[in-house]
Amino acid sequence: MPLKDYSLLKGRPINNRLATGGSPHYQVLVSADGELYRIAINVRSQDGSEVEFLVRSRFEHPIIDGLKGFAEGLHPLPSKPGGVALDFIRGNLMQPWELKPLPLSAAGPDNDLNEKIDSYVQRAMSDEAALIYAFGVAWGPEADKADRYFGFKPGRGIHDIHFNQGNPPGKYAKDNGPWQDGGLLFEFPDQQQWVAIFLKFQTQAWHSDDTSGEVIIPRDPDHPEAPHTPPDRDRIPPLDVPDGLVRIIAAYVNDVRTPEHETVTLLNTADIDIDLDGWQIKDKQKNMMRLEGTIGRGATLVVPIAAPVALSNKGGIITLLNASGVKVHGVSYTREQAAQPGRTIPFQL
């Protein structure tokens, strides 16, 4: 079932506490329009395993336009597409192989989660124009109880700043749901830069049901709680877990003529031909068009886009699913990338 009180907190980071072995959360004190809140960020899982992370130092995604309209403070978010709610999978925020495990702390510079998060928090605290956006579950206000880390009253804030679906059967399965993932974004207006930090537990499966967020491809059915191994970008994936088997490498979004002619270019990374009958392309609004035919091994295929699918010039996402409805690949593009008519937008592999 969906998380209760899924929310967005926007404000200015003004203080912090590093995570420790006894308290495996990195803490950030935030001032939002004169009110104080705490962000609690998991940097180690309950079972002691390392958390997977991804830092995008130049984050570009269509949700940025929506975030700019929020005032400072805590805002409840509907867990559905079309807004600013996060979904690692359906929002095409990343490819699964980009997530890497990292310890809470380790000797040496810039090699643990404390340091990765702290570098951007420290930078934001020293920049009066910088803002932090935290996605997760809100708590509080806790009556007259003071916050345990920063002492302000009433204690309140936001946590679950991580992937919130694909949990195996057990204690956290009740938290599964789509469009309710946590995350941490930083806006540095003077540098026109956005930074994103995304976290995921190793026990969480990447592929989940569109309605429930529950696991649909367990790696080891006999041990559903075991850590999941991220796919390898440079290896041909198996057909039953087809991450990246066929990839979206380009899109022609903004035509120079009317009516517009839009296309998506696919690349088959496998050493065999792939039957595309029953495969689907979906757009930002989850409109769907079916594919047919075959894409040869190592070949590209330019797919003309047909209604109801449409590639918006205001930014969007493009998702490729196989005949079983499992996501194979996905990309996103911004308003700025689509602004030039006649330009084909390339995507990283």
Side-chain angles (χ1 to χ4, degrees):
M1 61 186 296
L3 290 172
K4 184 180 179 182
D5 300 322
Y6 181 61
S7 303
L8 164 67
L9 173 64
K10 176 179 178 178
R12 281 272 304 122
I14 58 175
N15 204 348
N16 72 306
R17 297 283 188 274
L18 294 176
T20 65
S23 179
H25 290 75
Y26 185 102
Q27 312 288 346
V28 184
L29 178 63
V30 172
S31 174
D33 195 25
E35 303 288 345
L36 295 178
Y37 299 85
R38 173 166 58 90
I39 305 173
I41 307 162
N42 293 76
V43 291
R44 192 181 67 193
S45 67
Q46 288 279 1
D47 64 5
S49 63
E50 296 176 354
V51 174
E52 295 175 357
F53 85 103
L54 170 64
V55 176
R56 288 216 187 281
S57 59
R58 288 284 176 182
F59 179 64
E60 295 178 318
H61 194 277
I63 66 165
I64 287 177
D65 287 335
L67 290 175
K68 293 177 180 177
F70 280 82
E72 290 189 13
L74 189 66
H75 305 273
L77 292 181
S79 296
K80 63 181 183 180
V84 300
L86 298 186
D87 191 307
F88 289 13
I89 308 166
R90 297 160 193 87
N92 294 346
L93 292 169
M94 68 200 67
Q95 308 302 337
W97 52 77
E98 294 183 279
L99 291 156
K100 306 296 182 184
L102 204 66
L104 180 156
S105 61
D110 195 31
N111 61 356
D112 60 55
L113 271 181
N114 257 331
E115 292 172 342
K116 296 287 186 184
I117 297 170
D118 193 56
S119 64
Y120 289 107
V121 172
Q122 294 288 349
R123 177 182 167 189
M125 288 194 297
S126 65
D127 182 346
E128 292 185 358
L131 292 164
I132 192 169
Y133 299 74
F135 295 80
V137 175
W139 85 82
E142 299 175 322
D144 293 327
K145 183 179 179 181
D147 183 78
R148 61 181 293 192
Y149 290 92
F150 300 107
F152 65 91
K153 290 184 179 181
R156 59 187 169 188
I158 191 166
H159 65 151
D160 287 342
I161 315 295
H162 50 69
F163 194 57
N164 286 310
Q165 55 187 304
N167 290 297
K171 181 178 180 180
Y172 297 105
K174 61 179 174 49
D175 296 334
N176 286 332
W179 297 103
Q180 58 168 24
D181 289 335
L184 203 63
L185 271 61
F186 298 88
E187 180 186 7
F188 299 100
D190 293 343
Q191 292 78 40
Q192 298 184 345
Q193 180 186 7
W194 286 73
V195 175
I197 298 177
F198 300 117
L199 304 170
K200 173 184 171 292
F201 299 121
Q202 292 185 71
T203 52
Q204 293 172 313
W206 177 255
H207 293 285
S208 71
D209 182 82
D210 280 347
T211 301
S212 67
E214 295 179 357
V215 179
I216 59 173
I217 303 182
R219 293 300 179 111
D220 185 348
D222 295 327
H223 302 281
E225 76 290 347
H228 286 246
T229 303
D232 189 328
R233 183 186 73 100
D234 298 316
R235 290 184 180 275
I236 299 172
L239 294 176
D240 58 341
V241 188
D243 298 298
L245 183 70
V246 178
R247 302 182 190 182
I248 301 168
I249 60 172
Y252 186 72
V253 172
N254 190 353
D255 201 354
V256 295
R257 294 167 292 184
T258 302
E260 286 195 284
H261 174 68
E262 301 172 339
T263 65
V264 168
T265 303
L266 306 179
L267 169 68
N268 180 5
T269 70
D271 56 353
I272 58 172
D273 296 349
I274 300 296
D275 180 5
L276 296 178
D277 286 352
W279 286 46
Q280 305 170 22
I281 285 179
K282 288 188 176 182
D283 62 16
K284 182 179 181 180
Q285 304 303 325
K286 302 306 173 187
N287 298 314
M288 179 271 291
M289 60 169 279
R290 292 191 179 276
L291 304 183
E292 58 184 21
T294 300
I295 181 171
R297 54 185 178 181
T300 59
L301 177 68
V302 178
V303 179
I305 296 301
V309 171
L311 305 181
S312 171
N313 295 344
K314 297 180 180 179
I317 61 176
I318 309 169
T319 304
L320 179 67
L321 297 92
N322 68 10
S324 299
V326 175
K327 179 180 174 180
V328 178
H329 199 243
V331 295
S332 67
Y333 62 92
T334 65
R335 180 194 299 263
E336 289 74 21
Q337 290 173 307
Q340 183 179 342
R343 175 179 182 257
T344 294
I345 302 172
F347 301 110
Q348 293 183 348
L349 292 179

